[in-house]
Amino acid sequence: MSMSQSLTATTDTYATPMAGAPRAIGGSTAEAGDFLALLKPRVMFLVVFTALVGMVVVESAVHPVVAFAALLAIAVGAGASGALNMWWDADIDAVMTRTRKRPIPAGRVSGGEALAFGLTLSVGSVLTLGLVANWFAAAFLAFTIFFYAVIYSMWLKRATPQNIVIGGAAGAFPPMVADAAVTGTLGIETLVLFAIIFLWTPPHFWALALVKSGDYARAGVPMLPNVKGADETRRQIWLYTLVFVPATLAPIPLGFGGLAYTVIGGLTALAMLGLAWRVYRIREGEEAMKAAQRLFGFTILHLFILFAVLLAEHGLGLYSAVPALVIPGMA
């Protein structure tokens, strides 16, 4: 993971604050909670949750112990990615208000400790998944960690305003990794779940970027509002939302989104369109910031609701098909 790097900003305004890998900041006074923070627990929860949904929608007959062990390995792999991301981004985190209290910039964990921690967990999670499930899933998990730690963190994040568009794939892989773990292959269901998370990422993060553009500018991260402007960011949010919303409804005609998903998915889709439209139309003053904050908050709730309904339908036996809306042969 310790690849050398020379980072050049996309414009003169967005110069990289530090070239090369981040150095340890101060000595280590780390406690268990600091290493837990390196794992990004909230992200880990989302990964486990979406991976679990990926398992249940394919309705595999895998043994529960194998499924649990696979989920645990996927969770640890996600945590490893988070630790490696924090190691590399220590310089950025130190100048952003929402991240400067993280363990490395705060001086509680050294960069070397974070790197060793992340690499150890990466290797352990991949080997565990290969041994308890299959090596196809293990290879997929290894690629996911590499994609987030190297492709996104080390390259895309500081190189292009499309960083979270391409890098968002890393956060969308867990349902597919889970599918591979319990079936040994990939099905249409988890490909759709991947598409939903992938298309959800730009409106979610760009809404936050509108509010935190000053933070990203100080850190030299070329987020879309700082490179292309707030108005272009609002336009892109609206365009991505127009693609994201139909993707959220795709499980219905494909036969794995039932009656509850049809009703709830339809209502949340309308809400998402309404909030994204407000962000697009309201462009000045405090109301513009509030519109972006509301959209950011709702995107989190929206994704959780959609996956929770699928989990309830398939995991709790609540699935009830809507034949009139299903493509023939897909149910």
Side-chain angles (χ1 to χ4, degrees):
M1 287 292 180
S2 56
M3 58 181 289
S4 61
Q5 173 188 50
S6 175
L7 296 169
T8 304
T10 52
T11 67
D12 291 340
T13 305
Y14 299 101
T16 302
M18 183 186 299
R23 295 170 294 181
I25 300 177
S28 172
T29 58
E31 299 179 355
D34 296 317
F35 285 99
L36 178 63
L38 287 177
L39 303 178
K40 297 188 176 181
R42 286 182 292 183
V43 175
M44 282 181 67
F45 170 79
L46 182 61
V47 166
V48 172
F49 181 58
T50 58
L52 176 60
V53 175
M55 284 185 177
V56 300
V57 297
V58 297
E59 299 181 356
S60 170
V62 68
H63 194 283
V65 174
V66 174
F68 175 79
L71 279 176
L72 183 60
I74 292 169
V76 173
S81 299
L84 293 172
N85 170 264
M86 285 200 193
W87 161 71
W88 186 260
D89 279 350
D91 57 328
I92 289 176
D93 289 346
V95 297
M96 294 184 66
T97 56
R98 70 184 184 90
T99 58
R100 63 190 178 193
K101 293 184 180 180
R102 285 176 171 175
I104 302 176
R108 300 189 302 274
V109 176
S110 72
E113 288 172 326
L115 174 60
F117 186 53
L119 290 176
T120 300
L121 293 181
S122 296
V123 174
S125 63
V126 170
L127 290 178
T128 299
L129 189 59
L131 292 171
V132 302
N134 59 76
W135 293 106
F136 171 59
F140 203 161
L141 178 61
F143 173 74
T144 302
I145 296 170
F146 175 83
F147 194 97
Y148 185 72
V150 178
I151 303 299
Y152 169 68
S153 300
M154 296 184 182
W155 174 34
L156 293 172
K157 186 170 184 177
R158 309 188 193 207
T160 171
Q162 295 298 311
N163 44 24
I164 56 94
V165 177
I166 307 167
F173 284 140
M176 299 173 70
V177 177
D179 183 5
V182 298
T183 68
T185 185
L186 297 175
I188 184 65
E189 298 90 349
T190 53
L191 290 173
V192 171
L193 297 184
F194 169 87
I196 290 173
I197 301 172
F198 182 78
L199 294 169
W200 166 87
T201 303
H204 170 71
F205 277 104
W206 283 337
L208 175 65
L210 284 172
V211 179
K212 298 290 185 179
S213 59
D215 254 5
Y216 287 113
R218 283 192 298 274
V221 179
M223 290 297 282
L224 193 63
N226 304 98
V227 177
K228 298 294 185 179
D231 286 351
E232 176 61 18
T233 303
R234 291 184 172 92
R235 188 179 78 89
Q236 291 290 330
I237 287 174
W238 176 240
L239 292 176
Y240 268 95
T241 300
L242 290 178
V243 181
F244 165 67
V245 165
T248 67
L249 303 178
I252 302 167
L254 292 176
F256 67 98
L259 178 61
Y261 189 89
T262 301
V263 174
I264 296 173
L267 292 174
T268 53
L270 291 174
M272 179 73 186
L273 286 169
L275 290 170
W277 180 248
R278 283 182 58 83
V279 169
Y280 179 70
R281 291 300 303 272
I282 304 174
R283 304 190 173 200
E284 296 181 1
E286 185 178 347
E287 281 303 307
M289 289 298 99
K290 286 182 178 179
Q293 288 172 333
R294 290 191 188 102
L295 177 62
F296 173 73
F298 181 76
T299 55
I300 299 172
L301 180 64
H302 190 187
L303 192 68
F304 175 79
I305 289 174
L306 294 178
F307 278 71
V309 174
L310 288 174
L311 181 61
E313 287 190 330
H314 293 271
L316 302 178
L318 302 180
Y319 177 81
S320 177
V322 187
L325 300 179
V326 178
I327 298 172
M330 298 302 299

